[in-house]
């Protein structure tokens, strides 16, 4: 009798008649497993935050304790950014923002204002400049910064994070003189430190305190949720970053689900193998991130043939084949997934070969990832699908890089560049993201570029290499199911399906009914994670827009 009573009570508690939340009258849209657009109008969510089922238009509604009327608004699964830098996003948002500066003079003016507004700051740090957007297209110099701030160290990162410019005070503090040689894989040009040379300056910057890091992470989460991003492949994560995520998890403030890729082998001394999911599937260390080359903008991408606009250079090769194999093998032997940055065609070929070799040792189910996979030699492209490699790509890099890439390489060598549709045709899995803060974490310009190969202003007309356009279903798939799969998380996130988390967003327009330029300007109204509203648009506010 006692047993029966308990069983009855338990069944009443679990019964949808007495609990659960029904989100009704929604214009629900998601990509199905075949990358087709699927429609639904209701979502039944359990009290523990998981999807019980989707409801179509004419299906009878089950009784639920709470009914939320979506009022016909468009409901999408939470977007998952396959490759972003979470702490940098928050840190940059608190630092001097140089995104969109149109000249050296504008950079200098913003630096002057920021220095005046932060008189007690010992080191001034900023990021986001891109000399390609300036009339002279020349790197800034130490002297350019000295002219504005002569007395305190100033360090300003380029938009792609692959170069920084330092003033004389920063170089003095770092012990860098005119005699200092750039390390292999790096360069020093008048106060600009490229790739491996950045370390010469960065090592002198005082480490942020725990409070600084908590503040930066809170800021990053707020920005991400405001753009409808509920999951992230957290790239290049340091131990300090990891500990910050853990503190947030312990405090119950972790809302964005993080699939963590540790930076190199060092953190493995503390985290020797992938962790289980923590904090209700909000945090997991799953992989290790390596680099094969630099970036195209700073001519650090490693190319098979010299740069069209620097005929003596093929970029920065960061590892010999044997070295890269050995690094990757060490991480793979610990059970980690691998995510390797490769931008140039030579770097991509090297990483593909490395993964082919690793498949021989570990089999083909480890989901090795190439981060960016931007410039691929057409001859190498089919090898990506054959080796079961995941292409983790960023559609807004294509629209931002297009003109620069043409200058660096010429159109002929770009036939298999940013080649999303060709990548899918090889059988490769595609995961979309932004590489924030390199680009804004806003997923909608990316979805728009994905279907149009055009920027937010519709350039170029007809789209850049338009055969690489995706359908809306394919683009949504890459931004949800694809990036979940890329993080071994497709059993819990990436789609609104029974048993998966109710991570979803309400937006102000229907992506199936607007053109690409309007899609890019989609605004998120509400963001829900695990069946709970964690962000909503304040009546006239907008999330911090960066980079677009
Ligand atoms: Zn990155």
């Amino acid at each position: 009798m006692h047993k029966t009573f308990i069983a009855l009570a338990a069944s009443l508690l679990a019964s949808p008649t007495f609990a659960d939340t029904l989100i009704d009258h929604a214009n629900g849209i998601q990509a199905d497993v075949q990358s087709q657009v699927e429609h639904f109008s209701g979502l039944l969510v359990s009290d523990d935050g998981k999807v019980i089922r989707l409801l179509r238009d004419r299906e009878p509604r089950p009784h639920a304790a709470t009914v939320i009327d979506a009022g016909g608004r468009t409901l999408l699964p939470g977007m998952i950014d396959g490759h972003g830098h979470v702490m940098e996003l928050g840190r940059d948002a608190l630092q001097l923002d140089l995104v969109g500066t149109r000249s050296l003079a504008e950079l200098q003016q913003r630096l002057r204002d920021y220095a005046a507004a932060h008189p007690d700051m010992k080191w001034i740090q900023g990021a986001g400049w891109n000399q390609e957007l300036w009339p002279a297209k020349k790197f800034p110099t130490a002297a350019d910064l000295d002219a504005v701030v002569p007395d305190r160290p100033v360090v300003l990162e380029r938009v792609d994070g692959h170069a920084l410019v330092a003033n004389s005070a920063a170089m003095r503090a770092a012990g860098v003189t005119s005699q200092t040689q750039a390390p292999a894989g790096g360069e020093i040009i008048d106060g600009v430190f490229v790739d491996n040379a950045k370390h010469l300056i960065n090592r002198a910057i005082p480490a942020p305190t725990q409070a600084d890091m908590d503040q930066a992470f809170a800021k990053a989460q707020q920005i991400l949720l405001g753009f409808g991003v509920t999951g992230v492949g957290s790239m290049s994560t340091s131990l300090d970053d990891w500990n910050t995520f853990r503190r947030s998890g312990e405090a119950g403030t972790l809302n964005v689900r993080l699939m963590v890729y540790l930076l190199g082998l060092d953190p493995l001394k503390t985290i020797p193998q992938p962790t289980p999911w923590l904090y209700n599937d909000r945090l997991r260390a799953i992989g290790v991130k390596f680099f094969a080359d630099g970036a195209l903008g700073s001519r650090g991408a490693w190319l098979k043939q010299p740069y069209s606009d620097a005929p003596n250079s093929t970029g920065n090769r960061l590892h010999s084949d044997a070295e890269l194999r050995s690094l990757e093998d060490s991480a793979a032997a610990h059970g980690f997934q691998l995510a390797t940055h490769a931008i140039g065609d030579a770097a991509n070929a090297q990483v593909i070969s490395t993964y082919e070799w690793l498949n021989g040792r570990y089999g083909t189910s480890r989901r090795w990832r190439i981060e960016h996979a931007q410039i691929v030699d057409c001859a190498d492209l089919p090898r990506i699908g054959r080796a079961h490699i995941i292409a983790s790509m960023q559609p807004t890099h294509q629209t931002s890089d297009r003109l620069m890439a043409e200058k660096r390489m010429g159109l002929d060598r770009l036939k298999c560049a940013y080649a999303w549709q060709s990548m899918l045709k090889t059988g490769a899995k595609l995961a979309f993201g932004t590489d924030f803060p390199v680009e804004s974490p806003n997923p909608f310009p990316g979805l728009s570029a994905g279907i149009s190969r055009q920027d937010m202003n519709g350039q170029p007309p007809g789209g850049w290499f338009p055969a690489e356009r995706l359908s809306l279903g394919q683009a949504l798939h890459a931004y949800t199911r694809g990036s979940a799969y890329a993080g071994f998380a497709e059993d819990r996130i990436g789609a609104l399906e029974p048993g998966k988390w109710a991570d979803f967003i309400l937006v102000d327009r229907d992506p199936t009914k607007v053109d690409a330029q309007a899609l890019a300007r989609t605004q998120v109204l509400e963001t829900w994670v695990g069946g709970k509203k964690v962000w909503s648009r304040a009546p006239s506010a907008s999330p911090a827009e960066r980079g677009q």
Side-chain angles (χ1 to χ4, degrees), residues 83-85 235-236 289 291 341 371-372 394 435-436 438:
H83 178 129
H85 301 270
M235 286 295 145
S236 308
K289 166 93 179 284
F291 289 82
H341 166 117
E371 301 308 313
H372 313 305
Q394 298 74 30
D435 199 11
F436 65 75
V438 175

Side-chain angles (χ1 to χ4, degrees), residues 277-292:
W277 281 103
L278 304 168
Y279 316 116
N280 272 329
D281 294 350
R282 300 204 175 183
L283 181 66
R284 184 186 190 194
I286 178 73
V288 175
K289 166 93 179 284
F290 295 104
F291 289 82

Side-chain angles (χ1 to χ4, degrees), residues 145-442:
L145 306 191
D146 291 345
V148 182
V149 180
D151 50 343
R152 285 186 274 172
V154 176
V155 180
L156 308 175
E157 276 208 340
R158 193 178 184 278
V159 68
D160 62 5
H162 284 269
L164 60 80
V165 59
N167 71 349
S168 298
M171 290 194 277
R172 265 196 309 277
V176 172
T177 67
S178 55
Q179 310 305 313
T180 305
Q181 296 285 316
E187 243 185 304
I188 307 174
I189 316 141
D190 280 345
V192 172
F193 294 73
V194 180
D195 284 325
N196 287 352
K198 281 168 45 189
H199 174 67
L200 296 173
I201 297 293
N202 282 336
R203 65 184 177 190
I205 300 175
T209 63
Q210 235 178 56
D212 291 339
M213 295 196 71
D214 291 343
Q215 192 193 4
F217 183 50
K219 181 79 183 171
Q221 287 204 83
Q222 187 196 351
I223 295 169
L224 291 167
L225 295 171
F227 283 126
V229 177
T230 58
V232 173
S234 169
M235 286 295 145
S236 308
T237 304
S238 70
L239 266 188
D240 284 343
D241 297 347
W242 171 258
N243 289 331
T244 305
F245 304 156
R246 293 286 309 247
R247 283 197 299 279
S248 177
E250 299 294 336
T253 58
L254 180 54
N255 283 318
V256 178
R257 301 185 196 278
L258 301 176
M259 301 165 277
V260 166
Y261 294 80
L262 301 166
L263 180 59
L265 294 176
D266 260 6
L268 274 54
K269 290 176 203 143
T270 311
I271 307 172
Q273 58 198 35
T275 69
W277 281 103
L278 304 168
Y279 316 116
N280 272 329
D281 294 350
R282 300 204 175 183
L283 181 66
R284 184 186 190 194
I286 178 73
V288 175
K289 166 93 179 284
F290 295 104
F291 289 82
D293 66 346
L296 200 57
S298 47
R299 296 190 188 84
W302 175 30
L303 306 183
K304 290 187 174 184
Q305 303 298 324
Y307 280 86
S308 303
D309 57 356
N312 295 320
S313 171
T314 53
N316 292 341
R317 170 184 197 161
L318 299 184
H319 303 289
S320 71
D321 292 351
E323 211 171 75
L324 187 64
R325 274 188 190 190
S326 149
L327 281 171
E328 306 252 22
D329 191 28
S330 303
H334 282 254
F336 283 105
Q337 188 188 14
L338 304 172
T340 312
H341 166 117
I343 303 260
D345 50 8
N348 275 285
Q350 185 190 38
V351 176
I352 295 167
S353 299
T354 306
Y355 286 167
E356 287 167 342
W357 178 80
L358 286 164
N359 279 346
R361 290 173 79 82
Y362 299 99
T364 56
S365 62
R366 298 287 295 270
R367 305 189 189 176
W368 316 126
R369 304 169 48 135
I370 300 183
E371 301 308 313
H372 313 305
Q374 272 177 17
I375 318 290
V376 180
D377 184 336
C378 292
D380 294 325
L381 202 62
R383 297 166 64 197
I384 296 180
R386 272 205 301 273
H388 302 266
I389 294 168
I390 292 168
S392 163
M393 303 180 76
Q394 298 74 30
T396 44
H397 281 354
Q398 182 267 299
T399 49
S400 302
D401 290 0
R402 168 175 70 89
L403 297 174
M404 177 271 289
E406 288 178 11
K407 260 186 275 157
R408 296 282 184 275
M409 305 194 58
L411 274 176
D412 250 18
R413 287 192 286 172
L414 295 174
K415 284 185 186 128
C416 295
Y418 313 86
W420 313 317
Q421 193 63 263
S422 300
M423 199 65 86
L424 285 174
K425 285 194 182 122
T426 73
K429 300 264 203 241
L430 192 58
F432 267 176
T434 57
D435 199 11
F436 65 75
V438 175
E439 304 278 352
S440 161
N442 185 350

